[in-house]
Amino acid sequence: MTDSAAHSFESLTSGHCRPQAAALAFDSTGEFRALDSYFPITRMLDKAGIDSFYQLVQRVARHPCFDLRLIGANKTNLTPHMPASARHLVAGHLAEVFFFRQDILARFLSRPRHFQLYVTPEAYRQDGGISGGCYSPSREAIQLLLSRLFEGFNSPTPGVCPFLHELGHMLDHFDARTGKMGKAKGLYPGLSPGDGDLFTPKAREFFLKGKRLELTRYLSRLRGDLSQPMPIGHPYVFQNDGEFAAGYLEMFFRNPHYFAQQNADLFAAYVELFGCDTRRAWTQDFPHYVNANRSFYASGKKPPKTRLTLPKE
Ligand SMILES: [Zn+2]
């Protein structure tokens, strides 16, 4: 059975996308628990919690505003051929991020939200895709290679997750007040006083404090002052507020222990905003983001200038 699932990925993507056995098992059996390894949240929920998590995944996957497309060469619409695993992985990431904040998820899905997956790098480029994945403000869509959905899942615990990074950008562009996509401000829904009943004042307070500390630490590295602790994120995410929002979202869901040790206030902002402490799902962090980031700052190389700003109090 999984052979035929593997074969359909093979022919759909000309061999560009070879998902893990777990995804293929889901495609051939429809058994949701086969997807557990994609969602660390399942390690902190009991049986009833896991059931309600997968019910949410299905509600998102079927939601009329969940506009997920599969695009082939020359912009061919291949959505009817989308493997079930791809649909439920994307829906699952949304469900995982917002499992404890379904109020934010409901507002997010109050209008069509666009996600565009591509079968090959060529198809991605032909439709204007930039670098390995992106959020396009003009089409209000995440654009990502299908294969990148499966990228960080070859080890026993999840690793890099390009979708979560791009979701960080998308959430930054989402205006919870109007329900529309808008200008990025470096803030997730729930962090702005104008977000109405979604506004989470404590999260904003911690976010300001924590982001200020990260910026202070980054600036001291920039001056060559090594006396303070390192910032958590790589210089890449200090380019601007958008990359900060994208990068730190991903790290909250991948290396929460290091995150919390380095900057308790910023970690508390995410716990308040997303309603859960992700450390409960991780006995050990995904080490790559910790090590790659630390080794940059330890190298003594001067990090590039930053355009990071702090939201007004
Ligand atoms: Zn980015």
Side-chain angles (χ1 to χ4, degrees):
M1 280 287 271
T2 59
D3 278 1
S4 77
H7 183 75
S8 54
F9 269 98
E10 191 80 22
S11 58
L12 203 54
T13 68
S14 314
H16 277 284
C17 179
R18 298 205 168 104
Q20 292 78 22
L24 300 176
F26 174 74
D27 282 331
S28 52
T29 64
E31 177 49 63
F32 278 91
R33 295 300 304 267
L35 298 177
D36 282 3
S37 57
Y38 294 96
F39 306 120
I41 192 174
T42 56
R43 299 193 299 239
M44 65 186 210
L45 298 173
D46 59 13
K47 168 89 176 53
I50 293 174
D51 287 347
S52 68
F53 169 68
Y54 282 121
Q55 280 156 18
L56 179 61
V57 175
Q58 292 174 75
R59 285 202 301 279
V60 173
R62 286 195 293 253
H63 198 287
C65 289
F66 180 63
D67 176 29
L68 177 69
R69 299 188 188 198
L70 185 64
I71 299 166
N74 302 312
K75 309 183 191 182
T76 318
N77 181 13
L78 297 174
T79 310
H81 304 286
M82 173 119 51
S85 55
R87 173 168 290 276
H88 291 89
L89 245 61
V90 176
H93 289 312
L94 288 172
E96 181 168 47
V97 169
F98 292 116
F99 185 67
F100 298 99
R101 286 305 302 266
Q102 295 184 29
D103 54 342
I104 300 181
L105 182 61
R107 182 77 55 84
F108 184 65
L109 289 176
S110 63
R111 287 167 187 258
R113 298 291 169 236
H114 313 297
F115 307 93
Q116 302 175 339
L117 303 175
Y118 295 86
V119 292
T120 61
E122 198 187 6
Y124 180 66
R125 278 193 304 271
Q126 285 168 342
D127 199 26
I130 300 165
S131 61
C134 62
Y135 171 75
S136 161
S138 60
R139 58 173 83 187
E140 302 183 351
I142 287 179
Q143 293 176 277
L144 196 68
L145 262 176
L146 178 63
S147 61
R148 300 210 70 200
L149 271 188
F150 301 94
E151 193 172 297
F153 298 99
N154 290 316
S155 306
T157 53
V160 293
C161 192
F163 182 84
L164 276 181
H165 180 99
E166 302 310 334
L167 181 63
H169 284 299
M170 189 174 193
L171 293 175
D172 179 14
H173 282 265
F174 174 60
D175 183 344
R177 189 179 61 84
T178 60
K180 294 181 187 169
M181 301 306 292
K183 254 186 89 183
K185 297 192 198 95
L187 295 170
Y188 313 108
L191 287 185
S192 299
D195 291 346
D197 51 355
L198 298 183
F199 179 46
T200 316
K202 261 177 129 178
R204 181 183 172 91
E205 198 184 309
F206 283 125
F207 188 78
L208 258 62
K209 235 170 130 183
K211 189 177 179 185
R212 178 173 296 119
L213 183 60
E214 288 301 285
L215 180 57
T216 305
R217 288 174 175 173
Y218 190 82
L219 291 174
S220 70
R221 295 270 147 180
L222 206 61
R223 287 193 307 270
D225 170 6
L226 307 183
S227 65
Q228 292 197 48
M230 297 173 183
I232 306 164
H234 191 270
Y236 183 86
V237 304
F238 280 89
Q239 290 177 79
N240 54 52
D241 295 324
E243 291 308 333
F244 187 91
Y248 278 74
L249 180 78
E250 196 183 351
M251 292 193 293
F252 178 66
F253 287 98
R254 287 297 179 268
N255 48 282
H257 293 286
Y258 179 65
F259 193 140
Q261 274 160 28
Q262 292 289 108
N263 190 336
D265 284 328
L266 191 57
F267 189 77
Y270 285 76
V271 173
E272 288 293 331
L273 184 63
F274 294 104
C276 79
D277 185 333
T278 41
R279 286 176 295 186
R280 288 169 51 214
W282 294 82
T283 41
Q284 256 189 325
D285 286 344
F286 167 54
H288 173 72
Y289 290 138
V290 179
N291 299 338
N293 300 355
R294 289 191 70 84
S295 70
F296 176 87
Y297 295 109
S299 73
K301 271 189 272 181
K302 196 176 155 181
K305 285 212 174 86
T306 174
R307 281 183 282 140
L308 216 64
T309 65
L310 294 168
K312 291 190 185 67
E313 305 258 357

